[in-house]
Amino acid sequence: MLLDGDRWRQFFDAFQRDAWRFEAQPVYTMPRETENLARFLRGEPKPADHNARWHERVRGYVASGRRIGRVRVVRQPLTDYQRYQFAWGIPGNIAAGEDIRVLDVTHDDFGLPLTGQDWWMFDDSRVVHLNFRPDGTQINRETADSDPEPYRAWRRLALTRSVPFSEYVKLYG
C-alpha cells in the first residue's frame, strides 16, 4: 500500500512503542530543504526555526513514552548534504529526543543489505520502504508485506556496528 500525505502521517503517528529508520541515501533531494542547504553551503547561519516541526513531533513522541531513532549510513568523504545534516539537522533532532547513530561503511559494509533502500520499522512489526531516485528524490513510501524478521536482524546489526552521532563527530569532525 502506498502511503502519502495525511495517510503517511496517520500511519507514522500510530506507532505505540518505537519508530526506527535505516537511512542509506548519500543525498536527499527535498524541495523544502533546498534553500537551507544552499544557505549552509554559503556559510550562512542556521535559521532559528530550522526543522522545528519535526522537533515538535519528536518531543511529543518522547513525552508520550515512545522512542524514535535511526542509523545514518555514511561513506567518507561525506557528501555536502550529509555535512549539512551533521551540522544543521542531526544535533537538533537529538536535542528533541531522537536517538541517532552513524554507521560508517567506508571500509566495511558489515553484511548489511546496502542497496540504497531506506525503511522505517514501527513497533518491531510494520515496515515501510522509502523509495528514491538515484538523485535522492523520494518516489514514494510503501508498506512492506514481507516478514519483518530480516529487518529486525538488520536493525540489530546496524545498531551493533554503529556509534552514537556525538561519538562519530568527535572522531571525524
Side-chain angles (χ1 to χ4, degrees):
M1 168 176 56
L2 292 179
L3 298 168
D4 290 315
D6 288 340
R7 182 183 241 178
W8 168 237
R9 176 74 183 255
Q10 291 165 356
F11 186 94
F12 193 106
D13 288 344
F15 76 92
Q16 300 295 306
R17 294 178 312 280
D18 59 27
W20 188 83
R21 181 171 175 179
F22 185 76
E23 196 170 48
Q25 305 303 308
V27 173
Y28 293 93
T29 304
M30 299 170 51
R32 71 178 190 273
E33 288 186 332
T34 302
E35 183 54 35
N36 279 333
L37 176 58
R39 286 178 181 156
F40 169 78
L41 293 174
R42 289 191 301 260
E44 295 177 15
K46 179 175 76 171
D49 64 347
H50 185 267
N51 219 11
R53 288 177 52 206
W54 177 248
H55 298 159
E56 182 179 318
R57 286 180 69 190
V58 169
R59 283 190 294 272
Y61 300 141
V62 173
S64 70
R66 296 180 283 176
R67 295 181 313 270
I68 186 162
R70 68 183 75 203
V71 165
R72 179 72 167 103
V73 176
V74 301
R75 286 184 176 84
Q76 293 290 336
L78 298 179
T79 65
D80 286 344
Y81 183 85
Q82 288 168 333
R83 291 186 312 102
Y84 158 70
Q85 282 295 303
F86 276 39
W88 283 22
I90 294 173
N93 294 0
I94 291 171
E98 190 174 354
D99 176 32
I100 301 178
R101 300 174 63 84
V102 178
L103 177 63
D104 190 321
V105 296
T106 302
H107 304 294
D108 188 350
D109 68 9
F110 304 106
L112 284 161
L114 298 175
T115 61
Q117 179 70 64
D118 282 34
W119 45 275
W120 278 98
M121 177 179 277
F122 302 95
D123 299 326
D124 287 332
S125 60
R126 298 178 303 139
V127 175
V128 174
H129 288 172
L130 308 176
N131 300 310
F132 294 89
R133 291 186 180 95
D135 72 351
T137 303
Q138 190 174 73
I139 299 167
N140 61 30
R141 300 171 202 92
E142 62 182 328
T143 56
D145 296 325
S146 56
D147 178 7
E149 182 50 39
Y151 297 92
R152 288 191 289 261
W154 295 329
R155 179 183 60 191
R156 283 190 300 271
L157 184 56
L159 288 169
T160 299
R161 300 295 185 167
S162 62
V163 297
F165 175 77
S166 60
E167 186 176 320
Y168 188 82
V169 295
K170 283 180 191 172
L171 295 171
Y172 298 101

